[in-house]
């Protein structure tokens, strides 16, 4: 039996398997193509999940489409492996979600997600928590390596999108390597079911100003100059021109409070984001 099974060796999965290898942990991971020695597997194609090995902990890195898909994955996996390992076989599930459905300011691990915004993903999260006794990690914006927040300025390709972003400029982040660190801390804990079952919000505990990050892009500067011709935008920013705009963490509101999680882990985030500076992570 494997110690850890990583379903989906994508962005987070790659950081995680690198860490597991460095710690000598016996693991298996999947991709849809079977690249790099992974198990070729796709949830839509494997009706009984028979290609997946048994593991003590299972990390699901991709979104499940509602309660039905979550139930099918977990139930069929258990049914298949309990034939070999007995009815007491009960792996610990870790499911990665997003902080997007959390609307309270600030939101904590005690905050209920907005079901309309979360949709099927929240349905799946609730199933993993309530039926499987698992752990859901709702992650802030993922960054690391080629995934650089400055490049996200491309998502604001017109004035209306930028105007909407200016109404709430706060940005919360978490480095992929820090996500790997917390997953490893959870799955290696001998009392993980009682310590970490439930829902946890995960960020690096900083709050960033999206405008400060994106202002280096020429098109953002151009749109901003045009928007500052509008009285509503000048009032919103309390500025007449770009140079007058207050930027930085003091100019935005912290929406995600992950302090409960880091306190429970007895860890601190290691990889913080600094505009214009290289990623400090080294494999």
């Amino acid at each position: 039996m494997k110690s850890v099974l990583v379903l989906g060796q994508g962005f987070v999965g790659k950081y995680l398997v690198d860490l597991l290898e460095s710690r000598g942990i016996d693991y298996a991971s999947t991709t849809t193509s079977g690249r790099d020695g992974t198990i070729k597997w796709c949830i839509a194609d494997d009706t009984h999940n028979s290609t997946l090995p048994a593991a003590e902990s299972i990390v699901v890195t991709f979104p499940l489409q509602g309660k039905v898909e979550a139930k099918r994955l977990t139930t069929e996996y258990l049914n298949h492996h309990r034939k070999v390992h007995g009815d007491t076989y009960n792996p610990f599930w870790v499911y990665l979600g997003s902080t997007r459905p959390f609307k309270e300011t600030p939101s904590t691990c005690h905050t209920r997600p907005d079901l309309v915004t979360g949709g099927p993903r929240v349905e799946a999260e609730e199933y993993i928590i309530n039926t499987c006794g698992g752990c859901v990690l709702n992650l802030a914006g993922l960054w690391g390596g080629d995934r650089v927040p400055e490049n996200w300025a491309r998502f604001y390709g017109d004035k209306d999108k930028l105007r909407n972003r200016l109404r709430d400029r706060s940005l919360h982040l978490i480095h992929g390597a820090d996500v790997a660190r917390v997953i490893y801390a959870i799955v290696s804990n001998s009392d993980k079911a009682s310590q970490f079952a439930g829902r946890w919000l995960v960020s690096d505990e900083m709050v960033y100003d999206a405008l400060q990050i994106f202002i280096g892009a020429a098109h953002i500067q151009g749109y901003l100059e045009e928007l500052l011709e509008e009285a509503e935008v000048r009032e919103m920013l309390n500025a007449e021109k770009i140079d007058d705009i207050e930027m930085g963490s003091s100019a935005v509101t912290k929406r995600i409070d992950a302090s409960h999680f880091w306190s429970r882990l007895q860890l601190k985030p290691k990889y913080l984001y600094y505009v214009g500076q290289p990623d400090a992570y080294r494999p």
Side-chain angles (χ1 to χ4, degrees):
M1 182 182 299
K2 301 292 184 181
S3 293
V4 182
L5 172 61
V6 182
L7 297 182
Q9 189 177 304
F11 180 77
V12 170
K14 184 62 170 66
Y15 283 104
L16 179 56
V17 299
D18 285 349
L19 180 57
L20 294 174
E21 286 184 359
S22 72
R23 301 297 174 89
I25 303 299
D26 188 20
Y27 76 92
S29 62
T30 74
T31 59
T32 56
S33 64
R35 67 177 184 276
D36 301 326
T38 59
I39 299 168
K40 184 177 181 179
W41 178 82
C42 176
I43 189 172
D45 299 335
D46 191 354
T47 307
H48 301 293
N49 300 307
S50 56
T51 59
L52 301 176
E56 296 171 8
S57 298
I58 302 168
V59 182
V60 184
T61 69
F62 58 87
L64 296 170
Q65 297 305 307
K67 175 182 176 180
V68 171
E69 190 165 67
K71 181 178 181 180
R72 181 170 71 85
L73 170 64
T74 57
T75 301
E76 292 177 356
Y77 181 87
L78 285 177
N79 289 343
H80 177 74
H81 287 291
R82 281 177 175 172
K83 293 176 183 176
V84 177
H85 299 284
D87 292 340
T88 59
Y89 172 65
N90 192 33
F92 187 71
W93 295 84
V94 179
Y95 179 48
L96 305 187
S98 166
T99 56
R100 189 173 292 111
F102 293 87
K103 302 301 183 182
E104 292 183 15
T105 303
S107 291
T108 73
C109 62
H110 303 297
T111 304
R112 294 291 300 164
D114 181 81
L115 297 179
V116 175
T117 304
R121 291 189 69 164
V122 171
E123 284 184 17
E125 291 170 5
E126 293 292 307
Y127 185 86
I128 295 294
I129 294 169
N130 297 324
T131 303
C132 303
C135 167
V136 170
L137 302 178
N138 291 105
L139 307 177
L142 286 166
W143 77 283
D146 294 334
R147 204 168 186 163
V148 182
E150 287 104 313
N151 295 340
W152 300 348
R154 69 183 186 277
F155 298 126
Y156 302 92
D158 59 55
K159 284 196 300 181
D160 289 337
K161 289 179 180 178
L162 182 58
R163 183 190 292 107
N164 290 334
R165 192 66 172 99
L166 292 176
R167 293 189 173 97
D168 180 7
R169 289 154 44 190
S170 60
L171 178 65
H172 294 80
L173 300 171
I174 186 70
H175 195 288
D178 272 330
V179 178
R181 290 174 63 231
V182 303
I183 294 173
Y184 174 74
I186 290 170
V187 300
S188 61
N189 189 301
S190 60
D191 199 22
K192 50 186 168 286
S194 64
Q195 290 292 312
F196 296 107
R199 183 186 297 282
W200 303 93
L201 273 60
V202 187
S203 78
D204 64 10
E205 276 292 89
M206 303 293 288
V207 57
Y208 302 90
D209 182 352
L211 183 57
Q212 182 184 38
I213 293 172
F214 302 152
I215 194 65
H219 74 282
I220 296 293
Q221 294 182 29
Y223 290 147
L224 190 55
E225 288 177 351
E226 294 179 28
L227 287 169
L228 281 167
E229 297 175 5
E230 303 174 13
E232 177 191 4
V233 175
R234 292 196 300 272
E235 182 179 357
M236 185 193 311
L237 298 177
N238 192 29
E240 296 290 326
K241 58 184 185 297
I242 291 178
D243 290 343
D244 295 336
I245 301 172
E246 180 187 358
M247 297 188 197
S249 59
S250 61
V252 294
T253 301
K254 189 172 186 176
R255 294 187 298 103
I256 301 298
D257 180 358
S259 59
H260 299 86
F261 181 61
W262 292 105
S263 177
R264 177 65 60 88
L265 277 175
Q266 296 185 323
L267 287 176
K268 291 184 178 180
K270 186 175 180 180
Y271 301 101
L272 302 183
Y273 172 72
Y274 299 97
V275 180
Q277 295 191 22
D279 185 350
Y281 171 76
R282 296 292 179 271

